[in-house]
Amino acid sequence: MVGGGQLARMTHQAGISLGVDFRVLAASAGDSASLVTGGVTVGDERGAPDLLAFAKSCDVLTFDHEHVPEPVLRELEEAGAVLRPGRDALGFAQDKLRMRTRAEELGAPCPRWRAVTTASHVEAFADPAQGGTGWPVVLKAARGGYDGKGVWVVRDADEAAGVVARAAAAEVPLLVEELVAFERELAVQVARSPYGQIAVYPVVETVQRDGICHEVIAPAPGLDEDKAVRAQELAIELAHALGVVGMLAVELFETAGGVVVNELAMRPHNSGHWTMDGAVTSQFEQHLRAVLDLPLGAPRTTAPFTVMANVLGGTDPDVHGRYIHVMAKDPALKVHFYGKEVRPGRKIGHVNVAGDDYRDLLERARDAAAYLKGDQQ
Amino acid sequence: MVGGGQLARMTHQAGISLGVDFRVLAASAGDSASLVTGGVTVGDERGAPDLLAFAKSCDVLTFDHEHVPEPVLRELEEAGAVLRPGRDALGFAQDKLRMRTRAEELGAPCPRWRAVTTASHVEAFADPAQGGTGWPVVLKAARGGYDGKGVWVVRDADEAAGVVARAAAAEVPLLVEELVAFERELAVQVARSPYGQIAVYPVVETVQRDGICHEVIAPAPGLDEDKAVRAQELAIELAHALGVVGMLAVELFETAGGVVVNELAMRPHNSGHWTMDGAVTSQFEQHLRAVLDLPLGAPRTTAPFTVMANVLGGTDPDVHGRYIHVMAKDPALKVHFYGKEVRPGRKIGHVNVAGDDYRDLLERARDAAAYLKGDQQ
């Protein structure tokens, strides 16, 4: 796996049971996955020389992020490396313009959007007098981003002009999207193997605050059966059409009229962490099965509901001192730490809890995450 | 953890979620745990020099086997190493004479037994004319064993004399026990922390053939409630009385009159592997929580039944070729491989499967194990 973050760490954890000889190319020996894996290569995980050397020691290359540049992926393929997902599929995950164009071709419901290079494009898109969506609108980096961000909600033409100018300076291509009036956010996980086998997980509700996923409820409580089936079908169609191999996470908006595609990721994803303690096959095991072309595992749930809450770092680095209180208070809570140094707002772990009553589970998961952060004493 | 076998491998796997900086002292870089762990020290896991050096890099030492000699454990304690379980507790796991003596003092139901040094001792124990139990009887090595064995069922005085002579030559102390007329074999897992907190798992049925555990059904189907409670109480009493820290496995015989203590192990144990996919907290996570003096996790089951079957090596080393068929046939089966080279009769992994109908689960687990061995096409 290319990249040594928490996704690689948890993929290795799952791979131990499968007997996989898991190796990781990580930026440092202190990375989340490097700390717990035997086969660690420290190197430049985005550059051709280190990736080519690493690929020689592996039967299959997969990725814990979307940051390997397309020309490097091409070099790897030309050198005979087996990339899963492949370069073409990864292109859709790396470039929102390509993804949106293809998703629309497939008839997938998407927000209204267009590529923009000037502030007047944004204004034309948004201005009701020109048939636009109305303000505010969402500007997104099609690739990369700047100042650590890739999404900006802009309320008027002036704000739009500021983002467009800074993006242009950073050579970041932009698109504009309507701000969808959603009821809630949903996500679906689907796995696809090279053989074309598909396994789809139940649709989950994701609770975002400040652009960060805070909690996931699996399955999404009270979701209309038709919408749930439509969301799963959409994920399956996208996985096939984009040629995904491995896990695909499809983030969706639930609106009064149905579901609308928001974002895609071609790897294990935060919205699927609940599967570690709530599904027969976790998304990490499933990703490995898929990229190794093994038969896929059952994606079904093992409890009526599972709730995941992300643990963010707070100002006090002593997680351990708080950790034992969380464990003592809720012996059924499953804690997953990433081995990361605590920094305010950084995802340092997550908790899962499974049971019958999602409101109770949500309260317990939130309490634990807040206590671990240090917000709550 | 001292010892690099599959128990250390699976303990590391559980420790990843807890954020534990897990290290292993293993006999070789090819050992089961060495293959998947970052912090591996290769050395003599029974000798003082390597153990003392390894202990300096650890806050707590625990064990994947009972083979560290008592004088070495003493040296480690004197050097300030924190052993969990401690030397006194490990003494009961290492020496069946000490264990039997102490268990009887506690009033735990045990088979009739005595220490023996001569064949005539065995004869006096067995001979009905001398008030004995009748033949056959069971001879056990109190410590160690010879020819790779530690238990012999002998049918008469001649057979007993042969075992006694070979044990004497190997300087192996012996005890003799009645051959218990059991209905089935049971086991109970209990965890105890230094603080004295206890968590006890449901009583399971273990199915042994040729002295090897083949399957475990959790919980033991149709077990009388009083017997189940008595077995759990026994395990708790033993854990407290022997000063266990970590997991204690108590193997029992179920007889018409009740339950009888057979063997103890102070570590994660084969009879508890079902907990990886059938309990909120696996025995491996629980062992780590206990030895690190963290609050214990909920030991409750996550399904009505979970069945475990050991995967033994067969004559054909190509497990992988068979593996994909097992995965395809039963997508809900959980396979756990130990990364070991296939040798006939060697435990190379196990499978777990959870559900409502233990007969169905048992058939599926047995089928998978037999297929992986290569016995069944």
Side-chain angles (χ1 to χ4, degrees), chain A residues 118-170:
Chain A
T118 67
S120 62
H121 288 156
V122 181
E123 200 167 354
F125 181 85
D127 184 5
Q130 301 178 53
T133 58
W135 299 96
V137 293
V138 183
L139 284 167
K140 288 183 174 176
R143 312 173 65 95
Y146 68 85
D147 291 351
K149 283 181 69 177
V151 177
W152 303 266
V153 177
V154 293
R155 286 170 294 182
D156 55 36
D158 281 352
E159 283 191 8
V163 172
V164 169
R166 286 189 294 274

Side-chain angles (χ1 to χ4, degrees), chain A residues 9-10 12-22 34-39 276-277 280-282 285 289 292-298 300 302 320 323-325 327-339 354 364, chain B residues 9-10 12-22 34-39 276-277 280-282 285 289 292-298 300 302 320 323-325 327-339 354 364:
Chain A
R9 178 184 175 99
M10 294 184 277
H12 170 55
Q13 187 179 24
I16 292 174
S17 289
L18 298 181
V20 172
D21 180 8
F22 184 85
S34 306
L35 296 171
V36 299
T37 308
M276 295 175 86
D277 299 295
V280 171
T281 310
S282 80
E285 177 179 341
R289 286 184 179 224
L292 298 172
D293 205 8
L294 294 168
L296 300 181
R300 71 165 182 268
T302 54
H320 184 265
Y323 178 29
I324 60 172
H325 296 291
M327 286 180 137
K329 184 180 177 193
D330 197 341
L333 193 91
K334 305 312 297 173
V335 181
H336 300 277
F337 279 115
Y338 306 156
R364 286 159 63 192
Chain B
R9 179 184 176 99
M10 293 185 278
H12 170 55
Q13 188 178 23
I16 291 173
S17 289
L18 298 181
V20 173
D21 179 8
F22 185 84
S34 306
L35 296 171
V36 298
T37 308
M276 294 174 87
D277 298 296
V280 171
T281 310
S282 81
E285 178 180 340
R289 286 183 179 224
L292 297 173
D293 205 8
L294 294 167
L296 300 181
R300 70 165 183 267
T302 53
H320 184 264
Y323 177 31
I324 61 172
H325 296 291
M327 286 179 138
K329 184 181 176 192
D330 197 342
L333 194 90
K334 307 311 297 172
V335 181
H336 300 276
F337 279 114
Y338 306 154
R364 286 160 61 193

Side-chain angles (χ1 to χ4, degrees), chain A residues 331-362:
Chain A
L333 193 91
K334 305 312 297 173
V335 181
H336 300 277
F337 279 115
Y338 306 156
K340 292 186 168 182
E341 213 178 295
V342 173
R343 287 206 294 262
R346 186 186 208 190
K347 285 183 194 170
I348 57 168
H350 68 270
V351 297
N352 283 333
V353 59
D356 296 328
D357 175 356
Y358 77 86
R359 288 185 187 86
D360 167 64
L361 301 174
L362 189 57

Side-chain angles (χ1 to χ4, degrees), chain B residues 60-90:
Chain B
V60 171
L61 275 196
T62 188
F63 305 87
D64 120 316
H65 56 63
E66 290 92 15
H67 304 316
V68 180
E70 200 275 344
V72 177
L73 295 174
R74 185 184 296 269
E75 265 193 82
L76 284 164
E77 280 189 349
E78 284 168 2
V82 178
L83 308 186
R84 290 183 179 158
R87 182 171 51 87
D88 287 346
L90 282 170

Side-chain angles (χ1 to χ4, degrees), chain B residues 80-151:
Chain B
V82 178
L83 308 186
R84 290 183 179 158
R87 182 171 51 87
D88 287 346
L90 282 170
F92 295 110
Q94 292 181 325
D95 189 325
K96 290 188 183 26
L97 291 171
R98 285 189 61 192
M99 186 274 276
R100 282 267 171 256
T101 304
R102 187 79 181 105
E104 279 195 342
E105 282 170 15
L106 296 169
C110 292
R112 283 175 63 184
W113 70 282
R114 67 164 288 187
V116 291
T117 51
T118 68
S120 63
H121 289 154
V122 181
E123 201 168 353
F125 181 85
D127 184 6
Q130 301 178 52
T133 58
W135 301 95
V137 292
V138 183
L139 284 167
K140 288 184 174 174
R143 312 174 67 93
Y146 69 85
D147 290 353
K149 283 181 68 178
V151 177

